[in-house]
Amino acid sequence: FSPDISSNITRTLNSGLKTRRFVIWTSFLDFTTPKVCVQFLGSTTVIGYVQSGKTMSFTTVTALARDNNYQIVIIITGISIPLYNQSTTRLQEDLRLNTRPDRKWLLIQNPNIREKHHSLITSVLTDWKDDNVPAKERQTILIIVMKNHTHLRNLIDVMHQVNLEEVPTLIIDDEADQAGLNTLVRQGDESATYYQLISLRRYFPNHAYLQYTATPQAPLLINIIDVLSPSFADVITPGKEYVGGIDFFQKKPGLVVTIPDSELPTNNKVLNEPPESLLEAMRFFFLGAAAGYFLSEGENNRNNRSMLIHPSQKTIKHTKYYHWVTQVKDNWEDILELNESDQDKKDLLDEFNHTYIKLKSTVLNLPSFVNLKGRLLHSIRRTMVTKVNAASGRTPQVVWRATYPHILVGGQAMDRGFTVEGLTVTYMPRDIGVAHADTIQQRARFLGYKRQYLGYCRVFLESNAKDAYEQYVKHEEDIRKQLKAYHDKPLQEWKRAFFLTRQLKPTRDNVLTFDYMRGGYSDDWYAPKHPHYAIDVINLNTQVIREFIKKLNLKPDDGHKDRTNVQRHSFNDNVGLSDVYENLFIRLRMTHPLDSKNYTGLLLQIRKYLENNPDETCAIYLISYLNGDWIERVYTIKDDQIDNLFAGEYPVTPKEKQGSIYPGDRKIYKENYLTVQIRNVGIKNENDHILIENSSIITAWVPRKMRGDWIIQDQSH
């Protein structure tokens, strides 16, 4: 970073301004050139992809804060020592804290009273108020603290001894959806780390709070009056070299391999030897490492090639797979050292050649098998196998510089935030477990900046996990698109509504105050149950509907000659769906919570379908168009809803003639197209007292091709 990044900013911040509403953040249009933006915001969640450069982003923000006279920057990161050390090392390297000639930064790690950090901080802050101290000699205090209630409590104790009035401060919460949220909210209590986070914020009268995450489901769904509920959201874009879920599960699905069910360990099925899919995954990896050596990417290059094996969160399974991998590795080394005429060696090389053919289909410039064969033994021999878990008391550190190829076997320790250098092959025979969307996505260490060697990558998944990731990609893109459109708008006004397969839950329930509703229409009707809920809304909706009807070119529908007037309708089956969506659907309001949630889900499905099918048409039926009066429907107090908006079949009896004259309203739709029914109704109670007269109401039939599973959370109250 240059010493003065503020020259790249269109507006600079007044360091004397006493406000909580400004913050700087970056959007990476490519990996090396940040687009720097300045906004006056409150607490903001910054959303990237998994391993897309979020650490680089908040490091840049930290540098910009220094250039704009922020006196303190606090970075809360890492719930484990390895993750904390990883983030700290990156900040030290990228800010050049140990090599730069000036002393613009004062780094303090995990402050505490015992080491008198409060005195040091007070001394440095005093320089900012002393006019005799040149600006270039004033230091910005960079505090890196582990996201742990004990370390946060120590930091609060330190800050309690410091005068923080008129001290502009930036607080960055890394992996904001993890550990810091209140897991006791449903018990009316506060969890330890959450309590310390909100206590910390209270000590800084002038601060901006940034939440960085790749999985924002929990921060977006917690109570909007929660201190940690973000006021705004910003979506950062990765560079061109980034490979995300879209690449693996949409653009290049051949890179994902399904592990056969017969090769998955279960409680009732014990595997006594390494499955063939694991052996093939290892062959893919060793061939890729051999290619790296042949192309001179090996020991003389800073990069690595690695394989990740993630069998379970249980360490006992790690041990089994670790044993298999080391056993196979040693066995293959022994075989490849045999004479060329040895049959075992020929058979093993034939297996590698079979895998080579598959690898060549995705790597256009792959060296010949003859060339790779010459480096294969060396690649296997030089591979370091590490079991990454805390079974021995502390999670071992991976020494990346020790060798070029690595195989890591582990579970939870390699989930969130853990960077696997040069990861090419992932083998994950575990199921999706509790099926939290944010959890399984954080497990996707195979995402990252690997465009240059994407063809070498393979991801081995069990079938349910593969399906879950495919659906997650759609969910992730839906949220990002919505939040991009909501840029600079308060998140309190954003409807918590997005697509998510029923296979997954968005996040853990224990951090959510309010439940969410799941739904999805597929060959099914949307019909409001409480259209009588608010008279002013009824009148507004009726006006909107009748204005829209005026521009329709309707014609009588066909049917049995003995139909009554109530059973005769007018229709137009070639109306632009985008016109109906923009000029009818989004202008209507549903005020009852249940109707509103379902209607929001309906709008989600229509909007999503229109994105890919903008010229789609739909059908509109004006029900009972020959009947000048409105249709009466009954409101029941017991159920607190209207019994049924739809007229049934006619005749009802005898059974063999049921519906022969009229099939019923529910069967009036255009096959495979969204169909809107408009009817005028009067609503009366069970005592025949009229509640609402002659109001227009819509129902809608959604075809299977527009199906979609969604989640709606109502926080309007």
Side-chain angles (χ1 to χ4, degrees):
F1 298 100
S2 66
D4 183 13
I5 304 181
S6 59
S7 61
N8 297 323
I9 309 177
T10 56
R11 297 160 64 188
T12 57
L13 302 180
N14 181 351
S15 63
L17 186 61
K18 297 181 72 172
T19 178
R20 299 185 184 196
R21 293 191 172 276
F22 61 85
V23 73
I24 317 166
W25 88 100
T26 61
S27 294
F28 278 84
L29 301 183
D30 59 65
F31 192 56
T32 56
T33 308
K35 174 187 176 183
V36 180
C37 306
V38 178
Q39 295 290 332
F40 292 86
L41 301 175
S43 174
T44 302
T45 184
V46 184
I47 302 163
Y49 290 112
V50 169
Q51 300 194 139
S52 63
K54 295 184 297 299
T55 302
M56 178 65 74
S57 176
F58 69 67
T59 302
T60 305
V61 172
T62 299
L64 289 166
R66 160 67 209 187
D67 288 339
N68 286 277
N69 298 320
Y70 275 68
Q71 297 173 28
I72 299 176
V73 177
I74 299 174
I75 298 177
I76 306 166
T77 182
I79 64 168
S80 67
I81 293 175
L83 293 181
Y84 173 80
N85 290 339
Q86 177 179 277
S87 296
T88 301
T89 299
R90 289 183 183 176
L91 284 161
Q92 289 175 318
E93 291 177 351
D94 292 338
L95 292 173
R96 298 180 293 119
L97 299 183
N98 299 325
T99 59
R100 59 189 303 148
D102 57 42
R103 293 185 174 87
K104 286 188 175 182
W105 298 97
L106 173 64
L107 174 63
I108 302 177
Q109 299 183 51
N110 289 324
N112 59 76
I113 290 287
R114 183 180 62 258
E115 297 184 35
K116 300 187 181 301
H117 285 125
H118 54 290
S119 299
L120 179 59
I121 292 172
T122 298
S123 175
V124 172
L125 292 180
T126 302
D127 286 346
W128 287 87
K129 300 176 182 179
D130 189 343
D131 294 336
N132 294 318
V133 177
K136 65 180 181 179
E137 294 182 13
R138 296 169 181 165
Q139 288 183 299
T140 292
I141 301 167
L142 176 61
I143 298 173
I144 307 177
V145 60
M146 185 179 290
K147 192 183 290 189
N148 168 283
H149 64 92
T150 300
H151 288 295
L152 289 170
R153 178 69 255 175
N154 290 339
L155 173 59
I156 291 170
D157 291 341
V158 169
M159 290 305 175
H160 184 66
Q161 307 296 320
V162 179
N163 180 6
L164 297 171
E165 290 294 327
E166 300 185 5
V167 176
T169 302
L170 174 64
I171 302 176
I172 295 174
D173 184 353
D174 187 20
E175 303 290 356
D177 63 303
Q178 185 190 34
L181 301 181
N182 188 9
T183 59
L184 299 178
V185 64
R186 295 201 172 199
Q187 286 83 42
D189 203 350
E190 294 177 339
S191 52
T193 302
Y194 170 81
Y195 176 80
Q196 301 303 341
L197 280 176
I198 60 175
S199 298
L200 178 67
R201 293 190 65 179
R202 293 193 186 106
Y203 275 93
F204 293 89
N206 307 302
H207 80 274
Y209 195 80
L210 277 184
Q211 301 171 311
Y212 273 81
T213 182
T215 46
Q217 292 84 357
L220 293 176
L221 291 176
I222 63 174
N223 195 327
I224 60 175
I225 66 172
D226 192 299
V227 175
L228 296 186
S229 177
S231 304
F232 297 86
D234 187 61
V235 179
I236 56 176
T237 305
K240 295 178 181 179
E241 295 300 306
Y242 181 75
V243 176
I246 291 178
D247 294 281
F248 279 105
F249 298 101
Q250 292 183 3
K251 293 182 179 179
K252 298 181 181 294
L255 299 178
V256 180
V257 182
T258 302
I259 302 173
D261 290 343
S262 60
E263 299 182 10
L264 297 170
T266 66
N267 292 333
N268 300 321
K269 182 180 62 181
V270 178
L271 299 181
N272 296 316
E273 59 183 16
E276 173 54 34
S277 54
L278 174 62
L279 300 180
E280 181 170 60
M282 293 178 67
R283 289 195 294 268
F284 270 114
F285 172 68
F286 287 134
L287 285 169
Y293 277 116
F294 180 79
L295 298 171
S296 301
E297 290 182 6
E299 306 302 353
N300 296 323
N301 192 292
R302 289 189 61 190
N303 296 327
N304 291 97
R305 286 292 176 264
S306 58
M307 176 179 179
L308 170 61
I309 300 174
H310 193 317
S312 170
Q313 66 182 36
K314 298 180 180 180
T315 57
I316 189 170
K317 289 188 177 180
H318 303 170
T319 300
K320 173 178 281 191
Y321 278 82
Y322 175 81
H323 174 71
W324 281 343
V325 169
T326 54
Q327 187 180 56
V328 170
K329 174 180 176 295
D330 292 343
N331 184 42
W332 285 355
E333 284 183 40
D334 292 340
I335 292 174
L336 291 176
E337 289 175 348
L338 295 174
N339 190 282
E340 293 296 326
S341 61
D342 188 274
Q343 189 59 45
D344 287 343
K345 183 172 183 178
K346 289 180 180 180
D347 291 343
L348 179 59
L349 289 175
D350 284 343
E351 292 172 353
F352 268 99
N353 189 42
H354 181 72
T355 303
Y356 170 86
I357 294 172
K358 296 180 181 179
L359 186 61
K360 189 172 178 58
S361 68
T362 57
V363 182
L364 299 180
N365 60 343
L366 185 66
S368 69
F369 183 69
V370 172
N371 290 328
L372 295 191
K373 185 172 63 173
R375 301 308 305 269
L376 196 54
L377 175 58
H378 175 66
S379 301
I380 297 174
R381 186 169 55 238
R382 291 292 296 141
T383 296
M384 182 178 292
V385 183
T386 306
K387 186 165 53 173
V388 186
N389 62 37
S392 60
R394 174 172 291 189
T395 304
Q397 297 288 309
V398 180
V399 185
W400 295 108
R401 291 291 293 159
T403 188
Y404 176 61
H406 288 262
I407 296 179
L408 312 183
V409 182
Q412 190 172 347
M414 295 189 295
D415 277 5
R416 179 188 301 269
F418 186 88
T419 298
V420 184
E421 301 289 347
L423 178 60
T424 53
V425 179
T426 299
Y427 187 80
M428 196 182 302
R430 64 175 299 177
D431 59 23
I432 58 177
V434 293
H436 292 155
D438 48 4
T439 299
I440 72 157
Q441 182 64 356
Q442 289 290 352
R443 204 173 290 156
R445 298 295 99 192
F446 47 83
L447 307 176
Y449 286 89
K450 51 187 66 184
R451 182 76 58 190
Q452 293 180 349
Y453 58 89
L454 179 58
Y456 288 97
C457 294
R458 291 295 187 276
V459 180
F460 288 74
L461 300 171
E462 63 101 22
S463 58
N464 288 333
K466 179 174 178 289
D467 292 341
Y469 278 113
E470 289 173 351
Q471 295 301 320
Y472 185 91
V473 170
K474 300 175 184 177
H475 159 74
E476 181 175 50
E477 294 306 310
D478 175 51
I479 283 187
R480 288 174 62 88
K481 185 169 185 178
Q482 288 193 54
L483 294 179
K484 283 180 180 179
Y486 229 77
H487 184 64
D488 286 351
K489 299 177 184 177
L491 274 183
Q492 285 83 353
E493 301 173 6
W494 175 64
K495 286 187 176 181
R496 270 63 178 170
F498 44 80
F499 287 106
L500 182 63
T501 173
R502 295 175 188 269
Q503 190 179 6
L504 298 173
K505 299 175 67 174
T507 189
R508 54 207 186 278
D509 292 335
N510 63 353
V511 299
L512 305 183
T513 305
F514 303 112
D515 292 326
Y516 49 81
M517 185 181 82
R518 309 200 76 135
Y521 294 101
S522 176
D523 284 353
D524 195 10
W525 285 96
Y526 164 79
K529 297 287 188 180
H530 313 82
H532 57 292
Y533 201 64
I535 187 65
D536 57 331
V537 174
I538 292 171
N539 294 334
L540 176 63
N541 287 348
T542 297
Q543 180 181 349
V544 169
I545 291 170
R546 292 178 181 177
E547 285 179 1
F548 187 81
I549 290 175
K550 290 178 182 178
K551 66 179 185 179
L552 296 177
N553 182 20
L554 301 171
K555 58 185 177 182
D557 69 338
D558 296 325
H560 198 283
K561 62 182 180 63
D562 293 334
R563 288 177 300 161
T564 65
N565 284 346
V566 175
Q567 296 164 349
R568 297 174 184 268
H569 319 305
S570 59
F571 79 104
N572 185 331
D573 63 355
N574 193 32
V575 184
L577 180 57
S578 60
D579 179 34
V580 175
Y581 176 73
E582 294 170 5
N583 296 307
L584 178 62
F585 278 110
I586 64 175
R587 294 182 62 193
L588 298 178
R589 291 175 57 198
M590 305 295 162
T591 53
H592 189 278
L594 184 59
D595 287 346
S596 178
K597 291 175 186 177
N598 283 318
Y599 191 66
T600 300
L602 172 67
L603 296 184
L604 268 179
Q605 289 184 236
I606 298 174
R607 173 184 60 78
K608 185 66 176 179
Y609 188 78
L610 280 172
E611 289 176 3
N612 299 317
N613 304 274
D615 298 325
E616 179 77 354
T617 60
C618 69
I620 295 182
Y621 282 81
L622 185 57
I623 301 298
S624 308
Y625 83 106
L626 289 180
N627 185 5
D629 297 329
W630 29 271
I631 306 166
E632 290 186 350
R633 291 293 180 262
V634 177
Y635 162 77
T636 58
I637 297 176
K638 178 182 177 182
D639 298 328
D640 190 29
Q641 65 182 30
I642 293 174
D643 283 344
N644 192 2
L645 286 172
F646 298 94
E649 299 171 319
Y650 180 80
V652 178
T653 58
K655 188 173 182 180
E656 60 270 16
K657 292 186 178 181
Q658 185 175 347
S660 58
I661 294 178
Y662 184 68
D665 289 356
R666 287 184 178 274
K667 294 185 179 178
I668 305 298
Y669 59 84
K670 184 180 180 182
E671 188 73 32
N672 209 37
Y673 287 87
L674 185 126
T675 301
V676 182
Q677 289 185 356
I678 298 173
R679 51 177 53 78
N680 295 328
V681 301
I683 301 172
K684 63 181 182 180
N685 63 19
E686 295 159 301
N687 298 320
D688 287 337
H689 177 70
I690 300 298
L691 304 176
I692 303 294
E693 295 184 353
N694 198 16
S695 299
S696 296
I697 295 174
I698 71 163
T699 55
W701 186 83
V702 184
R704 182 179 297 273
K705 69 179 182 180
M706 296 177 64
R707 67 185 180 274
D709 295 329
W710 38 259
I711 280 178
I712 309 289
Q713 186 197 55
D714 181 20
Q715 293 202 33
S716 59
H717 52 287

